[in-house]
Amino acid sequence: MTFFGIGSRLWAARGAGRPLSILLLSGVSAAALAADPADAFNFYISQSFQHDDNLYRLADGVKPFGDGQRDDNISVTSFSAMFDRVYSRQRLYASVDLAYAAFDTYSDLDYDTKGVATGWDWSFGSHWTGKLELKQDELARDRSDFRTNSRETSINRRRTLDAEADYWWHPDWAAGVGYEAFASEYSDDASQNLNYEASIPEVSLTYRPQSGNKVSLRARFTDGKYPDRTSSAIRDDGYSQRDLRLVGAWRLTGASRLSGYLGYTSREYENLEVRDFSGMTARLQHDWTITGKVQLRTTARREIGAREDLTDNSVVTKAVSVEPTWAPTAKIALQGLLEWRQRDFRGDPGLVTSVVEQDDETTTCRLSVSYMPLDSLSLSLSHTASSRTSDRAANEYDANVTALSAQYSF
């Protein structure tokens, strides 16, 4: 599957960040990335300096390449340009994101990423609404999942074409159709068998009352392919998946909001039936404004092939996270994160059935403080501690990352 390499906006700026996005690499808060609604064009420059005490995510006592240094200092420089404007009832947006990471000791790991996107939220007449979006983003693969002796950074490039159309046959009700084409590929030779493509048509029924709440019943039909795999009795090169989801965003009270989806997923492989998956899947997020200065976000999910996990899309992931925020003043904010995540690799169709199943459990704690001396300038200091246990001792690790960041918008 190929299409124009036009792609991913800076997700953090849209409030849907990913673990290894430029946002977290630079340590800048989501609030600092919010675009100025008065400007059609917004530009951001950020610089981050990090110290990682276990760069290759190795078990205790293990050194990279036999006697190499475990820690490293990393500099990340990024630039983003965004356009967003509403013309009558039509909204047009586009973005370009560039980043360069330089390593002090392991300079062979230096890399650059780029992302581009363009989109149109459209409305015709009194009954039709929808969207058309093309995007591409690039992310450095987490080294905890990139087990290799290669001295290179694996870059995951993802391209998406997304189209939706809704017909509002009643002020509160709409029937819709959608289509998504998705492709994921890795830059390193060792990960080519993880490349995959997906074609996903969708039908939906949406209820949106005058209160502004919204809930949809969606049926998705995925045809997934691994173009760099050869099908055999012990290996599959594709799968079919069916999802039935109740998706919504609902304000429970004036101070709390629940969003996400709850559904049932069924995935089938042609050869490795033992890898088939069926069961409940969900991603639920609760946002609670406790006081004017304190907020709490709680997220729970159970998914197969979660894209932000940056690994084979057959992995079953369970995760729970809590993110408190305290803003004692308009310029200072303290943010925390505590996440528990379990990943079950039983679904990997690239492994023969005799391979021992793998389960990983990762705990992540992060504390950050941000300061905005000017409306256009944000400074941030963060520390992240992560620990993983696994059925395979070699996959266990402890790591600490400290980052100092600055971002300027204009």
Side-chain angles (χ1 to χ4, degrees):
M1 178 191 305
T2 59
F3 39 87
F4 296 108
I6 300 176
S8 165
R9 297 146 68 196
L10 185 61
W11 286 106
R14 298 293 170 190
R18 281 193 287 259
L20 289 179
S21 66
I22 294 174
L23 169 69
L24 292 188
L25 281 173
S26 62
V28 178
S29 68
L33 287 172
D36 185 345
D39 294 331
F41 290 95
N42 287 273
F43 302 91
Y44 308 90
I45 298 175
S46 64
Q47 177 64 53
S48 171
F49 298 101
Q50 307 174 23
H51 178 76
D52 191 323
D53 72 353
N54 187 4
L55 184 65
Y56 282 92
R57 301 301 184 260
L58 301 174
D60 291 345
V62 179
K63 294 184 177 181
F65 313 109
D67 59 353
Q69 182 175 313
R70 285 173 60 94
D71 66 325
D72 206 347
N73 297 313
I74 310 163
S75 169
V76 180
T77 305
S78 63
F79 169 79
S80 298
M82 301 181 64
F83 169 82
D84 196 330
R85 172 162 287 183
V86 175
Y87 298 90
S88 183
R89 299 169 61 196
Q90 317 301 315
R91 174 175 171 248
L92 300 177
Y93 54 86
S95 69
V96 176
D97 311 309
L98 306 172
Y100 177 74
F103 294 75
D104 188 13
T105 300
Y106 295 101
S107 58
D108 289 342
L109 295 176
D110 292 359
Y111 67 88
D112 61 85
T113 60
K114 49 191 175 295
V116 288
T118 184
W120 173 28
D121 292 344
W122 55 266
S123 178
F124 291 127
S126 59
H127 296 289
W128 287 98
T129 62
K131 76 171 184 177
L132 177 63
E133 185 177 61
L134 291 166
K135 56 189 175 184
Q136 172 185 294
D137 64 359
E138 294 179 342
L139 299 172
R141 191 177 179 193
D142 193 333
R143 289 177 186 81
S144 64
D145 297 320
F146 187 40
R147 295 291 174 171
T148 176
N149 290 324
S150 175
R151 295 175 182 262
E152 67 174 317
T153 295
S154 176
I155 301 299
N156 180 213
R157 176 180 296 164
R158 299 182 284 195
R159 300 185 180 94
T160 305
L161 164 65
D162 194 6
E164 295 181 6
D166 290 304
Y167 178 73
W168 293 89
W169 47 273
H170 181 278
D172 297 343
W173 291 90
V177 295
Y179 178 78
E180 179 182 358
F182 180 80
S184 171
E185 61 185 22
Y186 292 90
S187 61
D188 63 292
D189 293 338
S191 299
Q192 294 306 296
N193 70 320
L194 300 182
N195 297 342
Y196 78 97
E197 303 168 350
S199 176
I200 314 171
E202 177 183 271
V203 294
S204 63
L205 178 65
T206 299
Y207 172 62
R208 187 186 62 189
Q210 295 299 313
S211 63
N213 295 323
K214 185 177 180 180
V215 62
S216 300
L217 181 64
R218 298 177 179 266
R220 294 165 59 89
F221 311 91
T222 303
D223 180 24
K225 298 293 184 184
Y226 299 92
D228 296 302
R229 295 182 183 177
T230 301
S231 181
S232 68
I234 60 173
R235 192 179 181 91
D236 266 310
D237 62 355
Y239 63 91
S240 62
Q241 179 171 316
R242 303 293 180 264
D243 294 273
L244 183 62
R245 296 178 175 178
L246 187 64
V247 184
W250 204 271
R251 184 163 292 282
L252 303 176
T253 69
S256 66
R257 180 174 181 267
L258 182 66
S259 60
Y261 76 88
L262 180 66
Y264 186 87
T265 297
S266 174
R267 179 180 289 197
E268 297 179 351
Y269 297 97
E270 181 178 352
N271 297 318
L272 300 180
E273 295 182 1
V274 68
R275 307 290 186 187
D276 291 352
F277 172 87
S278 61
M280 298 294 294
T281 52
R283 176 192 288 264
L284 297 174
Q285 177 178 299
H286 181 251
D287 292 295
W288 181 23
T289 302
I290 302 174
T291 70
K293 297 182 178 181
V294 180
Q295 297 178 336
L296 181 65
R297 169 173 292 178
T298 305
T299 305
R301 62 188 177 101
R302 182 178 191 255
E303 301 173 298
I304 180 170
R307 293 174 185 173
E308 67 267 39
D309 289 330
L310 290 176
T311 188
D312 189 325
N313 84 319
S314 299
V315 175
V316 179
T317 301
K318 300 177 185 177
V320 178
S321 65
V322 178
E323 299 176 73
T325 299
W326 176 47
T329 72
K331 294 181 178 292
I332 299 175
L334 279 74
Q335 296 175 307
L337 168 69
L338 176 61
E339 181 190 60
W340 171 86
R341 183 180 66 173
Q342 180 189 64
R343 294 192 300 177
D344 182 354
F345 289 77
R346 63 181 178 179
D348 184 356
L351 300 177
V352 297
T353 57
S354 61
V355 175
V356 177
E357 293 183 0
Q358 176 184 343
D359 289 321
D360 293 345
E361 290 190 9
T362 305
T363 301
T364 302
C365 301
R366 181 170 63 245
L367 180 64
S368 66
V369 57
S370 60
Y371 172 58
M372 296 184 66
L374 305 171
D375 289 342
S376 58
L377 179 63
S378 175
L379 307 176
S380 176
L381 177 65
S382 67
H383 181 79
T384 304
S386 58
S387 177
R388 184 167 76 183
T389 59
S390 175
D391 291 344
R392 304 178 184 180
N395 288 343
E396 298 185 346
Y397 70 84
D398 294 296
N400 293 275
V401 179
T402 303
L404 177 64
S405 311
Q407 183 204 256
Y408 180 71
S409 61
F410 57 98

